[in-house]
Amino acid sequence: MTTFYDNRRPYDNYDSTTKEWDAIFIGGGASGRFGSSYFRAMGGNQLTIEADNHLGGKCCKNACVLHHYLYEIAVELDKARIWDKKEYWPKFPRKNGKVEILPVLRDYIIGREYVFDFMFHQSKEQLKLQFLLNQRASVLDAHTVTVPGKGEFKTKNIIVAAGAGPSVPPVPGTDLKGVYTYADFLELDYEPKDVVVVGASKSGLPWACFFNAVGCNTTVVEMLPALSQFPIDDDVREYTLRMMKLRGLPVLDETRLVSINGSGSVKSVTVKGKDGVEKMIKADLVYLGTGCTPRSDIVTPIGVKTGPKKEIIVDRHMATNIPGVYASGDITGGVMEMWKARQGGMMAAKNILGSPAEFETELFADTLHTFYETTWVGMTEKEAREKVGQVFVVRMPIQGYKNWLPLPLCEGAMQYAHQWPDLSGFQKIIYDAKTRKFLGAQHVGYGGKDSFQYLLYLLKKGATIDEIANLTELFINPTHFIQLSRLRSGMKNLVDLG
Amino acid sequence: MTTFYDNRRPYDNYDSTTKEWDAIFIGGGASGRFGSSYFRAMGGNQLTIEADNHLGGKCCKNACVLHHYLYEIAVELDKARIWDKKEYWPKFPRKNGKVEILPVLRDYIIGREYVFDFMFHQSKEQLKLQFLLNQRASVLDAHTVTVPGKGEFKTKNIIVAAGAGPSVPPVPGTDLKGVYTYADFLELDYEPKDVVVVGASKSGLPWACFFNAVGCNTTVVEMLPALSQFPIDDDVREYTLRMMKLRGLPVLDETRLVSINGSGSVKSVTVKGKDGVEKMIKADLVYLGTGCTPRSDIVTPIGVKTGPKKEIIVDRHMATNIPGVYASGDITGGVMEMWKARQGGMMAAKNILGSPAEFETELFADTLHTFYETTWVGMTEKEAREKVGQVFVVRMPIQGYKNWLPLPLCEGAMQYAHQWPDLSGFQKIIYDAKTRKFLGAQHVGYGGKDSFQYLLYLLKKGATIDEIANLTELFINPTHFIQLSRLRSGMKNLVDLG
């Protein structure tokens, strides 16, 4: 592989004769890079300062992409184990059922260099961004940024997009060897056997499923009732949990992490269950999927207001309380998702360059990765029944049908579903029975995340069941919503299907 | 498994005291069953007569579902072979690299009974359809249908939805043992080694890729220039073909099937290439992916007009030339896709029951399965440049970038892409540079078929790049269109990206 720069050293790509920038972006992650690109595309003169050795941020370094990578490996290993029963499939497992983790991580570490390289090339050559890499910015005031060895940069605006770092719960033992967050997980240098994942969260569960799929004894510990933080119905919640349980991955919910125990390296964790009784779980690895904390310290000294979780408080124009200082991405707290980071950067650019736009973050589609994707958008059935009253629901598998549902409810599960219920799926769509409007949808399977972003668009447009029944589908799967809705949509008074 | 009926015998589920039906559907496949459901949902009194032993038609018997099943097995076997290089993956291949086909087909044959059972249950208990199974209808006139042993059924309308059967090319040897179409493929009773697939078509290629993936020596023979029948650009065509070639699956295009040779069973095929030279290819199995012919014979005796390919000619209301006689689905010819069958049935129901609707079939998204999905919607880049002139294109991988693209362009391919280029992907989206309107998109990878039906909706709505940049995406993959479009959309004068 040929890379375009030496990623161990500071790297400059900017016009050093610039007296004053239109905007300086602090951070070249998802929000900083997309914000910079939009800003540059609109004609603004921008400089992006990134402390790490690449553009693209933690997403491709050790967060979202790693999360998806581990999820995808978990899915494939899971399928390989299930299909092992079939004579035409390669035998599995090997080496007593345990798959080595270190080669999996090594591949990732090699692979991400290509991603860094591509991001660099695209940003520099195609998007014409100006940037510094491997250099840390300090904010002196709303119009002055300094970088060691470079002195001061003057700017009309600052967009703070420095992201967030891993949160570590305040319990004893988090400094033991063998305790990881996403940020240092790639430094793993041994093959664990007994794993405890703290947090049945979006960032905890993909790791837990990966550990389970490679053959580690894995337990998930969660403070809240399992999956209660997600806007999904009980049936979807139960289906998601059942699929994990089937694979030997229990979630100990309403259970608090008391301490991580060991001497030098981790040996066990102590938890306290809903019964108030403490118990000890053996562990040679503890993975903390306990969220992130915004890196707002960089601008609190100049008076930028933050909230209780250290998040920078911004209005719908991405402006902070200090004129000329904007913030976007994970540093603004709330849900820390790519769309929010990318769109937030774009919104900041628009507002600075006189094309005012309000950022609405209330309504979005989201996915939880386990061995499946659990995907949702809009209202749950429960919420809809409370708020709207008369509700029409299409649901698969249908309730009370005694054979296992033979139809594939997710991409890649076709006829397998009948023999391996583990590879089926679950889906529901909710309509207002009076106005016939689409209110929400939920899906457990594969492929949901490719379609739900567009279902969100239909939701925002106020699409009715009749419009959805008129869509031109591609066979089945998440599409199933279209064909199933069509089966009933001739009715004046809608009756549930499923 | 408990089934609800004995599928070897005729089965009745209808009110035999009915003097006159509002509509009789001839055929309970995709079009007949969806048409019947919509008709019933609108309050019409319907009877559906199906010659086969189940509802749902050839789709779940031996066509679309089998096609997807074989495609999905091809994809998984392909991945297993590629990943075999990795120490953490189960070893592959076994048994000299050849996977047995017969157990794969046996699983399908077991599995489809569950599908039949579910369709029966849903149609009878939930959709309240009235139907006959394992019984063949004859059409006496526009208002009279007969069934052996039952006498005459009177009806206000007839909807002919009897589908299409496999087309067999007029060459010698098609009656040899070892020559299959989709309709009899499940009768296969030996393990082939050398396979020739006739037709680089939507129905030929998934079979060809399956044969290749299980380890058969496979050759595809195609009359036209390869993939020229699909509205895709040359770069997408070349990428699709290159991915097949990488896996040892050549397409002999502009090559005509002259004869199938053998004595009793097939031994070889003779083809004539573009150079006019005949050559012989060894084969112990020939698969004909050469399309379907409408079963219009059932109504030509009463004067229903058909076209040159035996298709029933219908107007946009699904009406034939005979008042009271409608037709929908594959029997009407043209593109034979599920959406067309299902929607066509619905359109017939609407028009008969006084809720007039016109069926537009011009614009649709479509997928070709190989080891990947090649998916498209709207105009190609070439067509757009000819018709619209100034065009803006976002394309990945970007042209001229010297390292292999490390970003996953398709679901399930994450970081693998950099080490196994075979598992990357290709995508492009085309906009009108002046109006900024979305004109078309193409994708090679996985997951495209879950999103392109919604991209079609955006296309019909006249969505612009700015609207697409404002969508709230779920990470990347087919979504990539959203984020990539966003990177440039700040520009007044759009410049290609990719």
Side-chain angles (χ1 to χ4, degrees), chain A residues 136-266:
Chain A
R136 197 170 286 277
S138 300
V139 180
L140 275 197
D141 61 46
H143 302 288
T144 316
V145 171
T146 63
V147 173
K150 299 248 176 268
E152 287 186 2
F153 293 87
K154 286 290 174 189
T155 182
K156 292 189 185 117
N157 302 279
I158 292 173
I159 297 97
V160 192
S167 304
V168 175
V171 299
T174 55
D175 53 344
L176 289 168
K177 178 167 163 59
V179 180
Y180 292 94
T181 67
Y182 75 86
D184 57 7
F185 180 58
L186 291 168
E187 294 164 20
L188 184 74
D189 56 5
Y190 63 99
E191 292 290 340
K193 282 182 188 163
D194 300 294
V195 177
V196 171
V197 172
V198 183
S201 58
K202 283 193 63 175
S203 59
L205 285 179
W207 263 264
C209 292
F210 170 75
F211 288 124
N212 169 283
V214 297
C216 294
N217 233 328
T218 309
T219 307
V220 181
V221 174
E222 168 60 44
M223 217 162 57
L224 302 170
L227 312 190
S228 64
Q229 71 269 46
F230 304 115
I232 52 178
D233 280 310
D234 286 345
D235 47 8
V236 174
R237 184 172 293 126
E238 279 157 21
Y239 189 91
T240 303
L241 289 170
R242 186 157 60 85
M243 289 300 118
M244 287 166 58
K245 210 173 164 185
L246 262 176
R247 289 155 173 89
L249 183 59
V251 175
L252 300 184
D253 65 349
E254 299 181 63
T255 295
R256 204 170 271 278
L257 178 68
V258 176
S259 64
I260 303 174
N261 319 309
S263 117
S265 61
V266 61

Side-chain angles (χ1 to χ4, degrees), chain B residues 86-120:
Chain B
K86 307 311 301 174
E87 56 261 60
Y88 53 82
W89 196 259
K91 274 285 162 226
F92 201 92
R94 51 194 267 195
K95 287 192 189 170
N96 304 321
K98 177 73 170 61
V99 169
E100 287 172 67
I101 295 179
L102 298 180
V104 174
L105 302 190
R106 191 195 59 216
D107 276 359
Y108 182 85
I109 291 166
I110 297 168
R112 70 178 177 182
E113 287 300 322
Y114 286 77
V115 182
F116 296 167
D117 183 64
F118 173 76
M119 294 256 184
F120 177 88

Side-chain angles (χ1 to χ4, degrees), chain B residues 241-484:
Chain B
L241 290 169
R242 185 156 62 83
M243 289 300 117
M244 287 166 59
K245 211 173 165 187
L246 261 176
R247 288 155 174 89
L249 183 59
V251 175
L252 301 183
D253 65 349
E254 297 180 66
T255 295
R256 204 171 270 278
L257 178 68
V258 175
S259 65
I260 302 174
N261 319 309
S263 119
S265 61
V266 61
K267 295 277 179 274
S268 68
V269 300
T270 304
V271 298
K272 190 189 244 178
K274 41 192 153 189
D275 53 8
V277 179
E278 288 198 359
K279 70 171 183 174
M280 210 178 259
I281 308 168
K282 193 178 161 192
D284 55 2
L285 191 150
V286 175
Y287 184 83
L288 301 172
T290 40
C292 285
T293 305
R295 295 203 186 88
S296 53
D297 294 347
I298 193 169
V299 283
T300 41
I302 66 162
V304 169
K305 263 197 201 156
T306 56
K309 294 180 173 172
K310 298 190 70 177
E311 75 279 13
I312 296 181
I313 294 167
V314 288
D315 63 16
R316 288 187 166 228
H317 303 96
M318 314 311 291
T320 69
N321 60 310
I322 308 273
V325 179
Y326 296 75
S328 71
D330 289 355
I331 207 166
T332 62
V335 55
M336 294 184 183
E337 295 293 340
M338 286 303 278
W339 63 267
K340 202 178 153 199
R342 294 175 185 144
Q343 278 193 28
M346 173 176 86
M347 292 294 169
K350 280 187 176 181
N351 284 300
I352 291 169
L353 292 173
S355 175
E358 296 208 344
F359 193 20
E360 288 179 22
T361 57
E362 289 72 19
L363 202 55
F364 58 93
D366 210 354
T367 296
L368 169 72
H369 289 99
T370 58
F371 296 100
Y372 278 163
E373 301 152 26
T374 295
T375 310
W376 58 87
V377 69
M379 285 191 213
T380 61
E381 182 181 344
K382 189 173 175 234
E383 186 185 359
R385 289 199 190 282
E386 283 162 13
K387 288 190 183 161
V388 174
Q390 218 183 312
V391 157
F392 164 71
V393 179
V394 176
R395 185 185 176 282
M396 287 279 257
I398 57 177
Q399 288 161 318
Y401 176 64
K402 57 186 172 176
N403 287 321
W404 190 267
L405 182 80
L407 282 175
L409 295 182
C410 53
E411 207 55 68
M414 292 313 298
Q415 294 267 0
Y416 289 119
H418 79 277
Q419 288 168 319
W420 300 279
D422 318 37
L423 279 176
S424 187
F426 187 102
Q427 56 188 194
K428 69 199 285 189
I429 187 163
I430 301 129
Y431 294 99
D432 182 328
K434 274 188 198 159
T435 64
R436 304 173 76 85
K437 278 192 180 171
F438 170 35
L439 298 176
Q442 294 163 65
H443 182 259
V444 191
Y446 310 116
K449 66 176 184 276
D450 295 320
S451 56
F452 268 59
Q453 58 217 348
Y454 300 113
L455 286 173
L456 171 62
Y457 179 84
L458 288 166
L459 190 74
K460 286 184 176 174
K461 286 271 174 198
T464 63
I465 188 172
D466 306 291
E467 287 175 82
I468 288 178
N470 267 315
L471 290 178
T472 296
E473 75 273 23
L474 273 158
F475 197 47
I476 55 170
N477 304 346
T479 326
H480 230 137
F481 290 137
I482 299 174
Q483 68 180 85
L484 289 173

Side-chain angles (χ1 to χ4, degrees), chain A residues 1-2 4 34 37-38 41-42 59 64-65 68-69 72-73 76-77 79 83 86-92 94 99-100 103-104 106-108 111-112 114-115 117-118 121-122 126-127 338-339 342-343 346-347 364-367 396 398 401-403 405-407 411-416 418-419 447 449-458 467 469-476 478-479 483 486-491 497-498, chain B residues 1-2 4 34 37-38 41-42 59 64-65 68-69 72-73 76-77 79 83 86-92 94 99-100 103-104 106-108 111-112 114-115 117-118 121-122 126-127 338-339 342-343 346-347 364-367 396 398 401-403 405-407 411-416 418-419 447 449-458 467 469-476 478-479 483 486-491 497-498:
Chain A
M1 179 197 178
T2 313
F4 291 98
F34 271 74
S37 302
Y38 205 90
M42 286 182 82
C59 166
C64 335
V65 175
H68 282 75
Y69 172 77
E72 289 180 3
I73 290 175
E76 290 300 332
L77 289 174
K79 283 185 187 169
W83 292 339
K86 308 311 300 175
E87 56 260 62
Y88 53 83
W89 196 259
K91 273 285 162 226
F92 200 91
R94 52 195 266 199
V99 169
E100 286 173 67
V104 173
R106 192 195 57 217
D107 277 359
Y108 182 87
R112 69 178 177 181
Y114 287 78
V115 182
D117 182 64
F118 173 76
H121 178 80
Q122 185 189 57
Q126 296 199 304
L127 303 170
M338 286 303 278
W339 63 268
R342 293 175 185 142
Q343 278 193 29
M346 173 176 86
M347 292 296 169
F364 57 95
D366 209 353
T367 296
M396 287 282 254
I398 56 176
Y401 177 65
K402 55 187 174 176
N403 288 320
L405 183 80
L407 282 174
E411 208 54 71
M414 292 312 298
Q415 293 268 1
Y416 289 119
H418 81 278
Q419 288 167 320
K449 66 175 183 275
D450 295 321
S451 56
F452 268 59
Q453 58 218 347
Y454 301 112
L455 286 173
L456 171 62
Y457 179 84
L458 288 166
E467 287 175 82
N470 267 315
L471 290 178
T472 296
E473 75 274 22
L474 272 157
F475 196 47
I476 54 170
T479 327
Q483 69 181 85
R486 188 181 294 141
L487 282 173
R488 275 287 201 244
S489 62
M491 286 182 157
L497 181 67
Chain B
M1 181 197 176
T2 313
F4 291 97
F34 271 74
S37 301
Y38 205 89
M42 286 182 80
C59 166
C64 335
V65 175
H68 281 75
Y69 173 77
E72 289 182 3
I73 290 175
E76 290 299 332
L77 289 173
K79 283 185 188 170
W83 291 339
K86 307 311 301 174
E87 56 261 60
Y88 53 82
W89 196 259
K91 274 285 162 226
F92 201 92
R94 51 194 267 195
V99 169
E100 287 172 67
V104 174
R106 191 195 59 216
D107 276 359
Y108 182 85
R112 70 178 177 182
Y114 286 77
V115 182
D117 183 64
F118 173 76
H121 177 80
Q122 186 189 56
Q126 296 199 303
L127 303 171
M338 286 303 278
W339 63 267
R342 294 175 185 144
Q343 278 193 28
M346 173 176 86
M347 292 294 169
F364 58 93
D366 210 354
T367 296
M396 287 279 257
I398 57 177
Y401 176 64
K402 57 186 172 176
N403 287 321
L405 182 80
L407 282 175
E411 207 55 68
M414 292 313 298
Q415 294 267 0
Y416 289 119
H418 79 277
Q419 288 168 319
K449 66 176 184 276
D450 295 320
S451 56
F452 268 59
Q453 58 217 348
Y454 300 113
L455 286 173
L456 171 62
Y457 179 84
L458 288 166
E467 287 175 82
N470 267 315
L471 290 178
T472 296
E473 75 273 23
L474 273 158
F475 197 47
I476 55 170
T479 326
Q483 68 180 85
R486 189 181 294 142
L487 282 173
R488 275 289 201 241
S489 61
M491 286 182 158
L497 182 65

